Amino acid sequence: MTRRPLAPQMPNNGPRYNEFINSPKVRVIDENGENLGVMYTKEAMEQAAEVGLDLVEVSPNADPPVAKFLDVGKYKYEAQKKANAARKTQKTQEIKEIKMRPNIDDHDYEVKMKAIHKFIGEGDKVKVTLRFRGRELSHGQLGMALLQRVQEDTAEDAKVEAYPRMEGRQMLMVLSPK
């Protein structure tokens, strides 16, 4: 028993091309970039086949849609390369965490501030966590004063995204680059 050949599948990603273009008329641009005007889709497909290329819909939302004489495989490959290059260049913003204690010493505080300035300079958000132990919890004003000091020291290059708040035994504040 012989199997009949499968009909070509509609492309589920990428542009429509050749027989998948469902508009009766299209504005045609040839392989050299010259505008051939508005013509019937069948006629445009025949002209593209004569040149050995496909008719690819490059702007489906226009009225009438714009189609070009292109090689579909090459067009999809170029679009994929462009998308990958865009993905490489985009920067994701991370949240870095700095942990402190309410009775931190001056030198330790300066080291932590240097790290905060470095993180903000790199474009990352900084979550400042102030952890209380034992009886320190009853002196919440010390923690608030420390976070106010952090806020003042980073005022030039950072803004407060989440103001200081208590969460259990720790006080949190989030800074983001200006």
Side-chain angles (χ1 to χ4, degrees):
M1 178 158 41
T2 59
R3 295 177 66 176
R4 59 182 177 169
L6 292 173
Q9 292 287 316
M10 167 67 188
N12 55 356
N13 59 346
R16 291 190 286 252
Y17 59 93
N18 293 342
E19 64 270 2
F20 302 117
I21 298 174
N22 48 15
S23 176
K25 287 186 175 183
V26 289
R27 181 173 306 278
V28 180
I29 298 172
D30 70 0
E31 68 276 8
N32 302 323
E34 294 180 30
N35 191 348
L36 301 179
V38 179
M39 59 176 70
Y40 288 103
T41 307
K42 294 282 184 200
E43 185 183 329
M45 281 190 331
E46 289 168 5
Q47 284 187 13
E50 286 174 14
V51 184
L53 296 171
D54 300 302
L55 183 69
V56 181
E57 197 175 43
V58 290
S59 180
N61 298 331
D63 187 34
V66 179
K68 246 182 181 179
F69 293 171
L70 297 169
D71 180 15
V72 174
K74 191 174 184 182
Y75 183 73
K76 282 184 179 179
Y77 175 72
E78 294 293 330
Q80 186 180 15
K81 274 182 67 172
K82 214 178 282 183
N84 285 344
R87 200 174 305 121
K88 275 184 188 172
T89 58
Q90 91 184 48
K91 167 85 170 94
T92 56
Q93 195 174 45
E94 294 180 34
I95 296 183
K96 305 284 189 171
E97 186 173 15
I98 296 287
K99 293 185 178 181
M100 294 185 186
R101 295 280 311 281
N103 56 350
I104 190 169
D105 196 41
D106 286 337
H107 182 263
D108 296 335
Y109 175 80
E110 293 304 320
V111 170
K112 299 284 187 180
M113 288 309 296
K114 224 180 261 185
I116 289 174
H117 285 293
K118 185 181 111 190
F119 293 149
I120 288 176
E122 291 172 356
D124 295 325
K125 292 182 181 181
V126 179
K127 177 178 168 185
V128 182
T129 304
L130 201 59
R131 176 163 275 149
F132 294 94
R133 277 197 196 151
R135 290 191 209 136
E136 291 174 346
L137 200 56
S138 61
H139 299 287
Q141 73 277 8
L142 292 176
M144 191 57 94
L146 181 64
L147 289 180
Q148 290 292 328
R149 183 176 162 200
V150 169
Q151 185 177 342
E152 290 165 10
D153 290 347
T154 60
E156 304 143 16
D157 52 347
K159 63 179 184 276
V160 178
E161 190 170 286
Y163 286 94
R165 67 179 189 282
M166 285 297 292
E167 264 185 26
R169 289 191 153 270
Q170 51 190 19
M171 193 176 279
L172 304 172
M173 177 172 77
V174 179
L175 301 169
S176 63
K178 276 191 178 173

